[in-house]
Amino acid sequence: MIGIKETSFPGLYQSANDASLLAQKKYYISLCCYLGLLVVAAAISFFVPTKALGALISAFLFLATLGILIYLKTSRPDDIWYNGRAVAESTKTLSWKWMMRADPFHEENNVDGLFLSDLKKVLEQNRSLSSVLSSTVGINELISIDMREVRHLSFEKRKNLYKSQRIDDQANCYAKKASFNKKSKVYKT
């Protein structure tokens, strides 16, 4: 049976997904550095309150945390992270709709054009993301061979594929996240 992989989706999916993951990593690293430097600065000011060296180190740490804060506010990795996730998931949803012949892609007349138009709308709604999208990934086919093969399967085969690779996959993903969040919960009730 045909399988849908991450590379089966349009290049817009891979590009937005990659941009989102990179921005998430940058955001967390910056936030950890910021908080770590604040703790170190507080410790230094507590343990070395009157010495010139302590003041100099505290000033340096203050400037470093200020620099990180300015970076976070100007480059907005959190926005890129969220918008990238939104574009990737919207692209994936539209792709599954197209493959399953779901509304509005159930007709055979110009469904490719309608699909491409919808992808363009998703990108237009998230214009701020266009500057960080990879142009090399975006050159992949917008409608892959795998997607076309799935679209031409019988209704029963499409339904089974959707259940196993979309519904079950999403359920497993959310179950793993719920389990992780439950294990990492600081306060247990």
Side-chain angles (χ1 to χ4, degrees):
M1 178 176 242
I2 297 170
I4 296 297
K5 306 169 284 302
E6 298 290 309
T7 56
S8 299
F9 296 109
L12 178 59
Y13 170 80
Q14 283 92 24
S15 186
N17 188 51
D18 292 347
S20 176
L21 292 173
L22 180 63
Q24 180 185 29
K25 188 180 208 177
K26 286 179 179 179
Y27 179 76
Y28 280 135
I29 289 171
S30 298
L31 192 60
C32 286
C33 290
Y34 176 76
L35 294 173
L37 288 174
L38 286 177
V39 169
V40 170
I44 287 176
S45 67
F46 181 74
F47 291 113
V48 190
T50 58
K51 296 185 180 174
L53 180 62
L56 188 60
I57 293 171
S58 290
F60 172 75
L61 291 173
F62 171 75
L63 291 175
T65 56
L66 184 62
I68 292 171
L69 193 58
I70 290 170
Y71 164 76
L72 286 171
K73 292 295 181 186
T74 57
S75 67
R76 304 291 306 181
D78 53 334
D79 279 352
I80 295 168
W81 170 17
Y82 302 139
N83 288 336
R85 196 76 260 125
V87 169
E89 291 305 319
S90 295
T91 301
K92 195 174 197 178
T93 298
L94 285 170
S95 298
W96 275 107
K97 281 183 168 187
W98 185 88
M99 289 184 285
M100 296 297 114
R101 298 183 187 188
D103 193 44
F105 307 113
H106 59 280
E107 300 290 328
E108 288 300 323
N109 296 337
N110 198 28
V111 291
D112 291 4
L114 182 59
F115 176 69
L116 298 177
S117 173
D118 284 354
L119 287 179
K120 185 178 177 185
K121 287 177 190 172
V122 167
L123 194 55
E124 286 173 353
Q125 290 171 352
N126 294 280
R127 284 182 202 247
S128 63
L129 192 64
S130 62
S131 64
V132 296
L133 293 177
S134 169
S135 60
T136 57
V137 176
I139 61 172
N140 294 352
E141 285 183 273
L142 290 173
I143 302 174
S144 68
I145 294 170
D146 292 343
M147 289 174 62
R148 291 190 186 280
E149 287 178 4
V150 169
R151 184 170 174 86
H152 288 99
L153 292 174
S154 68
F155 173 76
E156 198 62 36
K157 287 182 179 177
R158 285 194 322 269
K159 183 176 85 169
N160 291 336
L161 183 77
Y162 188 79
K163 183 188 178 314
S164 69
Q165 293 196 5
R166 181 68 168 157
I167 296 173
D168 292 348
D169 182 60
Q170 290 290 301
N172 290 336
C173 180
Y174 286 117
K176 285 178 186 174
K177 283 184 181 183
S179 175
F180 173 79
N181 289 335
K182 188 176 182 180
K183 288 177 185 175
S184 65
K185 191 175 177 183
V186 175
Y187 300 104
K188 301 206 182 227
T189 55

